[in-house]
Amino acid sequence: MRIRSTRSHTRPRPVRWAVPLVALGLVVAGCGANGAESAKGLSDALGTTSDLNPRHPDELREGGNLRLATTSFPANWNTLSNDGHEGEIGDIERPLMPRSFNTDAAGQLTVNKDYFTDVQLTGTDPQQVTYTINPKAVWSDGTPITWEDIRSQAYALSGADKRFLIAITSGFDRVEKVERGVDDRQAIITFKQHYAEWRGQFAGNMALFPKSVTANPDSFNHSLADHMGPTAGPFVVESTDRTQGRIVLARNPNWWGDKPKLDTITYSVLDRAAWVGALQNNELDAVRLSTIDDVKTVRSTAGLIVRRAPGNRWRHITFNGAPGSILADPKVRVAISKAIDRQGIATATQNGLVEHPKPLNNHVFLQGQEGYRDNSLGYDPAAAAKELDDLGWKLVGDVREKDGRKLIIRDVMYNDPTWVQIAQIIQQNLAAIGVGLVIDTKPGAGYFTDVIQPGDFDAAQFIFSGDAFPLSSLPQIYAYHPDDLQGNYGRIGSPELNALIDRTLSELDPAKAIELANQVDRAVFEEGHSLPLTQSEGNFGLRADIANYGSPGLASYDYTKIGFVK
């Protein structure tokens, strides 16, 4: 996962997404599509395209309100924290917070000059990176952005003080020190251990927060629990209403960069099933599309358009390997993984949405990205059944048993038709080898904080979101430290895998790092840690007159240029 879920070889990194999708049971209504619906303009490869209706700002109207949707109100506005590291919160904060690099559709990086005049690797022995901050850059409370903000965040995310409830270290556990450069507007980071993904420490899914948030554990964990603090983007939070489920962003009067075309961006909390209807009824301006029925609805509605570019989000299932759990034995998890027909899931959920539906076969790289290869164990229900037999799980009636315990697993997911459909397919697959599966749907509110983080599942389905910095999330999700779980919600791993991840992150040669990352991926499959399902189709429905917004692929949005065509 490149949330939590990054992501320069372009590769996703994880951001948790409670936003779900649809599955196959027998056949899903509306998932079959004819050639006219399915073939035109579709692509399977990530990394080269976006579909944003690019227009020069002079072609856009001055002002306007962009109406978007989210499935739940932020549990914590601090996206560096374990409670706040969710994709939807990250999306809301994109026009609010500083990042060091912009990304184009091919995943190529350029320094974000609004915040940094230069970011350079200035040494390799020891590794040093120098950040020169734009002298105009200030937080929304008027405080200058300085090297102290960088130093404070580096310490908070280092893991040195376990009271900081961090979601990801992002390589700051490898930082020796952060020093003042030529003045307060320059920070020099010195590493005690090489860090391959150094460009992503304040980019992609990782923003820079003010030192008022990261200064101590209490402010880090709690100061943004109910409201956003100081920001530094073209927009600020104008108002929030948790009861009404409404978040309004407005132009930042202290913004030093290009003036935004939009007056406001409004987020409404809506169940995912209501998004397309709200778009059709002119209550929203843009939504993600999950099914071919969504696509058909948008195409048949006057004034709406479908924009599509291969997506950088991916659906997966995480297993719970905690001691005492039904899936504590890695051999059982691997057997169950082999019995799940991921091609069947891809065909059922994506027919008509991509040219050639196929499963995602890598935990680190997406299809079309440099480094992607198939490291999966394959679909082999006969082998899965034999392996369970050999492990002592014998078929008693329709379900296997061992030592008086039935092999029935509880699969939890956000309550969404696509997730339920996927679970139904898995349920049928596992029934064929004598494994029971209970489908347990949950509401979006509290899904991560109340269900996933505590490990209240045997299997769990959610989405990871990526950017151009794929390696940074490897220790967050796939390394296992019992006293510091971070994003390893399945509590699965080994010292050997930890060491391999460490080697990968220490490799400054990009080609060698890719090879090591694929070794990590294969080891993750062999642990039965989790199972990638499908890569996002990247379909968006929106008003035809919206410019510089839509389906971005790996590209980052320029929120100053989003608006409505004159």
Side-chain angles (χ1 to χ4, degrees):
M1 301 177 247
R2 302 122 265 280
I3 126 225
R4 243 139 166 283
S5 329
T6 270
R7 329 212 195 184
S8 168
H9 40 223
T10 62
R11 137 83 233 273
R13 109 197 216 200
V15 170
R16 306 167 315 183
W17 277 87
V19 182
L21 304 148
V22 191
L24 163 142
L26 304 160
V27 169
V28 182
C31 279
N34 59 34
E37 283 291 344
S38 65
K40 234 176 162 180
L42 299 181
S43 171
D44 293 333
L46 179 73
T48 57
T49 62
S50 60
D51 187 2
L52 303 176
N53 188 22
R55 298 292 189 96
H56 191 276
D58 291 345
E59 300 178 64
L60 307 185
R61 301 197 320 253
E62 190 68 26
N65 175 37
L66 181 66
R67 300 166 299 172
L68 305 175
T70 186
T71 58
S72 62
F73 204 87
N76 191 324
W77 292 80
N78 180 5
T79 56
L80 307 175
S81 75
N82 207 32
D83 286 342
H85 199 60
E86 295 186 23
E88 291 191 304
I89 303 173
D91 279 353
I92 294 169
E93 295 185 10
R94 285 281 175 157
L96 306 177
M97 304 303 291
R99 284 174 171 79
S100 54
F101 289 95
N102 293 321
T103 312
D104 67 13
Q108 299 302 306
L109 305 177
T110 55
V111 174
N112 188 336
K113 298 291 183 150
D114 284 329
Y115 302 108
F116 297 94
T117 58
D118 195 27
V119 180
Q120 288 286 342
L121 180 67
T122 49
T124 57
D125 191 20
Q127 182 180 356
Q128 284 190 326
V129 179
T130 300
Y131 289 83
T132 303
I133 301 165
N134 185 330
K136 297 179 181 179
V138 296
W139 298 107
S140 54
D141 61 4
T143 305
I145 298 176
T146 73
W147 75 281
E148 292 181 333
D149 295 304
I150 292 176
R151 179 181 62 177
S152 181
Q153 185 158 318
Y155 179 75
L157 298 185
S158 69
D161 187 338
K162 301 302 181 186
R163 294 175 300 168
F164 286 91
L165 301 181
I166 62 175
I168 183 172
T169 60
S170 196
F172 289 110
D173 54 333
R174 294 165 176 255
V175 168
E176 176 69 33
K177 58 185 176 180
V178 179
E179 298 173 291
R180 182 178 184 269
V182 296
D183 56 25
D184 283 349
R185 298 288 193 160
Q186 189 174 77
I188 301 172
I189 298 179
T190 301
F191 292 80
K192 58 189 175 185
Q193 185 180 8
H194 282 171
Y195 183 56
E197 208 71 282
W198 58 269
R199 294 174 186 84
Q201 290 192 301
F202 300 103
N205 289 321
M206 298 296 295
L208 174 64
F209 278 73
K211 63 182 179 182
S212 60
V213 173
T214 58
N216 60 69
D218 185 64
S219 61
F220 185 91
N221 299 335
H222 304 300
S223 69
L224 303 188
D226 296 317
H227 56 81
M228 191 59 176
T231 58
F235 289 83
V236 295
V237 178
E238 181 180 74
S239 64
T240 62
D241 188 326
R242 187 179 292 271
T243 302
Q244 294 295 319
R246 192 67 48 83
I247 299 165
V248 180
L249 312 182
R251 288 176 181 170
N252 179 0
N254 297 323
W255 175 244
W256 57 94
D258 293 339
K259 180 182 177 182
K261 302 302 291 189
L262 294 169
D263 287 323
T264 54
I265 302 173
T266 300
Y267 280 89
S268 297
V269 176
L270 283 177
D271 188 272
R272 175 65 188 81
W275 285 13
V276 173
L279 176 68
Q280 194 176 27
N281 295 332
N282 197 25
E283 297 165 359
L284 295 174
D285 293 313
V287 300
R288 290 183 179 273
L289 308 177
S290 297
T291 69
I292 192 64
D293 284 340
D294 288 346
V295 172
K296 290 178 179 178
T297 298
V298 171
R299 283 179 172 170
S300 64
T301 304
L304 301 183
I305 192 169
V306 175
R307 300 207 180 278
R308 61 173 95 223
N312 64 339
R313 299 179 181 185
W314 52 282
R315 305 167 187 122
H316 83 290
I317 185 166
T318 279
F319 298 113
N320 189 342
S325 68
I326 191 74
L327 299 180
D329 185 344
K331 293 180 180 179
V332 173
R333 298 193 300 267
V334 167
I336 286 175
S337 296
K338 292 178 181 178
I340 295 174
D341 183 5
R342 296 181 304 120
Q343 179 61 59
I345 290 171
T347 300
T349 60
Q350 296 189 323
N351 186 31
L353 297 175
V354 298
E355 281 180 309
H356 307 291
K358 51 184 174 287
L360 181 67
N361 293 314
N362 198 296
H363 292 86
V364 181
F365 302 97
L366 292 179
Q367 296 167 20
Q369 291 183 309
E370 182 184 3
Y372 179 84
R373 66 182 63 151
D374 183 350
N375 295 316
S376 66
L377 303 180
Y379 172 54
D380 192 342
K386 182 179 185 305
E387 288 169 19
L388 291 175
D389 284 337
D390 293 344
L391 291 168
W393 287 97
K394 302 301 183 182
L395 199 59
V396 179
D398 293 330
V399 179
R400 294 176 181 272
E401 292 185 14
K402 181 180 180 180
D403 300 329
R405 192 177 192 184
K406 292 183 179 294
L407 189 50
I408 298 175
I409 64 176
R410 185 168 57 92
D411 183 12
V412 307
M413 69 217 67
Y414 172 82
N415 190 9
D416 173 271
T418 302
W419 282 129
V420 172
Q421 184 190 3
I422 290 172
Q424 289 170 341
I425 299 170
I426 296 172
Q427 188 179 54
Q428 291 180 359
N429 294 159
L430 297 186
I433 63 163
V435 177
L437 184 134
V438 176
I439 298 172
D440 187 0
T441 59
K442 303 290 184 181
Y447 182 62
F448 280 97
T449 54
D450 300 338
V451 180
I452 303 302
Q453 290 178 17
D456 185 17
F457 61 88
D458 299 320
Q461 297 178 87
F462 51 98
I463 292 176
F464 282 128
S465 177
D467 59 20
F469 311 99
L471 305 184
S472 59
S473 56
L474 294 181
Q476 169 205 4
I477 298 162
Y478 304 118
Y480 179 54
H481 303 284
D483 60 341
D484 184 19
L485 291 174
Q486 294 191 45
N488 190 340
Y489 304 121
R491 296 152 173 82
I492 294 168
S494 67
E496 294 77 16
L497 181 55
N498 288 357
L500 183 56
I501 290 170
D502 186 72
R503 283 181 57 204
T504 304
L505 288 174
S506 301
E507 181 53 69
L508 295 183
D509 182 319
K512 292 179 181 178
I514 285 174
E515 291 304 312
L516 288 168
N518 274 290
Q519 293 179 35
V520 169
D521 179 52
R522 178 67 181 191
V524 170
F525 275 111
E526 291 173 346
E527 287 277 355
H529 177 282
S530 52
L531 197 60
L533 298 174
T534 57
Q535 185 171 328
S536 165
E537 310 85 20
N539 293 303
F540 284 73
L542 62 165
R543 311 220 164 272
D545 62 346
I546 296 175
N548 302 315
Y549 188 81
S551 186
L554 283 172
S556 49
Y557 290 126
D558 183 342
Y559 283 88
T560 68
K561 294 180 171 58
I562 296 171
F564 296 89
V565 178
K566 291 178 181 177

